[in-house]
Amino acid sequence: EIVLTQSPGTLSLSPGERATLSCRASQSVSSSYLAWYQQKPGQAPRLLIYGASSRATGIPDRFSGSGSGTDFSLTISRLEPEDFAVYHCLQYGSSPRTFGQGTKVEIK
Amino acid sequence: EVQLVESGGGLAQPGGSLRLSCAASGFTFSNYAMNWVRQAPGKGLEWVSYISSSSTNIYYTDSVKGRFTISRDNAKNSLYLQMNSLRDEDTAVYYCARDPYSSGLYAFNMWGQGTMVTVSS
C-alpha cells in the first residue's frame, strides 16, 4: 500500500498570501493519479485537483497542482477567507486508494 | 439536485452491528461505482469499501474484511454497508463517495454529508 505523507501539518498564513502544500508518496504514484480535496468543518471533502494538475469543475484558478512520481504539491496563489480549511491528498493509481493525513491551513 | 444522503449511523456496542444506507438522486446511479470512506474523529480519511456499478467487483480495506459487507440496489438507487462485529476503532463518520465511472480506480468526485458511527460500551 502506498503511504502518503503531507507536510506541513498546519500552515498559518494571512489572507492574500500564497500557500504551498506538499504530499510525498512512499512509492511512485502511477500515471500521476494524485488528487487534492478541501474539507471544511462538518462538511464532506470537495474535489479540487485530479491527475496531479487538472482542476475539477468549478474550482477557481488560484488552486493549482503539480508534481509527479513521489512528490506532489498544491498551491493556492492568493488565499481567500473561504480557503482556510483542511486539505487532503489521495492517490488512486494503485489499490487500495490511500489518503494523506491532511494539512490544515489556518488564519495567522 | 445531484446528491448522496447517508443514514443509519448511531451508537453500537463492541461486537454489535449497524447497517448504513446511502440514497442517491439526480443522476443515473447504476452507471457509477460507489465507495464507503470513513474519517475517525480528528483523523484523516480512509477508504473502506468499493463496489462496481453492476456489483461485479467488490473490495475492502484489510481491517474490515470478513466483518463489513457492501451492496447496492440499482432499482432503489441505494448503496449499503452492513457492519458486523464492530470494534472501537470503527468509530468514524462514514461517507458514501461516487467514482466518475462504472469501474476502475479514480478520484472520488461526489460525496455525501456523512453519518456518524460510534462504537462504545
Side-chain angles (χ1 to χ4, degrees):
Chain A
E1 140 173 351
I2 295 179
V3 176
L4 299 181
T5 302
Q6 291 185 242
S7 61
T10 302
L11 197 52
S12 298
L13 294 168
S14 300
E17 289 193 293
R18 180 184 187 92
T20 302
L21 288 64
S22 172
C23 179
R24 179 162 291 178
S26 60
Q27 54 190 281
S28 184
V29 176
S30 173
S31 303
S32 296
Y33 287 156
L34 193 287
W36 291 92
Y37 293 84
Q38 178 192 68
Q39 187 178 28
K40 297 179 180 179
Q43 295 186 17
R46 177 175 71 143
L47 178 64
L48 300 175
I49 301 287
Y50 64 94
S53 61
S54 297
R55 273 187 299 277
T57 303
I59 301 304
D61 60 9
R62 65 179 180 273
F63 291 93
S64 63
S66 64
S68 63
T70 60
D71 289 300
F72 298 87
S73 62
L74 174 70
T75 299
I76 310 170
S77 58
R78 286 177 55 86
L79 282 164
E80 297 288 340
E82 62 268 27
D83 298 337
F84 291 91
V86 176
Y87 292 83
H88 307 272
C89 58
L90 163 75
Q91 71 79 23
Y92 54 100
S94 64
S95 183
R97 284 176 275 190
T98 51
F99 292 89
Q101 81 279 18
T103 289
K104 181 179 182 180
V105 178
E106 66 175 22
I107 299 176
K108 186 175 181 180
Chain B
E1 182 185 1
V2 177
Q3 64 177 354
L4 298 168
V5 179
E6 300 94 337
S7 60
L11 177 64
Q13 291 191 332
S17 299
L18 281 175
R19 189 191 194 211
L20 306 184
S21 299
C22 172
S25 59
F27 65 96
T28 305
F29 180 71
S30 60
N31 285 352
Y32 298 93
M34 297 295 297
N35 302 268
W36 289 98
V37 177
R38 67 185 177 184
Q39 186 171 32
K43 302 296 184 181
L45 298 161
E46 179 187 27
W47 168 80
V48 174
S49 184
Y50 162 96
I51 186 168
S52 60
S53 61
S54 59
S55 303
T56 302
N57 296 307
I58 288 175
Y59 304 106
Y60 302 95
T61 192
D62 286 347
S63 63
V64 309
K65 283 179 183 175
R67 301 189 298 121
F68 290 10
T69 302
I70 192 171
S71 63
R72 64 190 295 161
D73 185 335
N74 286 343
K76 295 183 177 180
N77 294 328
S78 293
L79 174 72
Y80 306 101
L81 186 68
Q82 178 66 45
M83 310 166 64
N84 298 330
S85 304
L86 284 163
R87 304 169 179 168
D88 290 352
E89 55 266 33
D90 296 321
T91 294
V93 175
Y94 284 73
Y95 296 100
C96 64
R98 192 189 78 175
D99 279 333
Y101 301 103
S102 61
S103 64
L105 294 177
Y106 299 96
F108 313 108
N109 69 344
M110 183 181 175
W111 299 66
Q113 285 304 301
T115 187
M116 182 70 204
V117 171
T118 302
V119 183
S120 175
S121 54

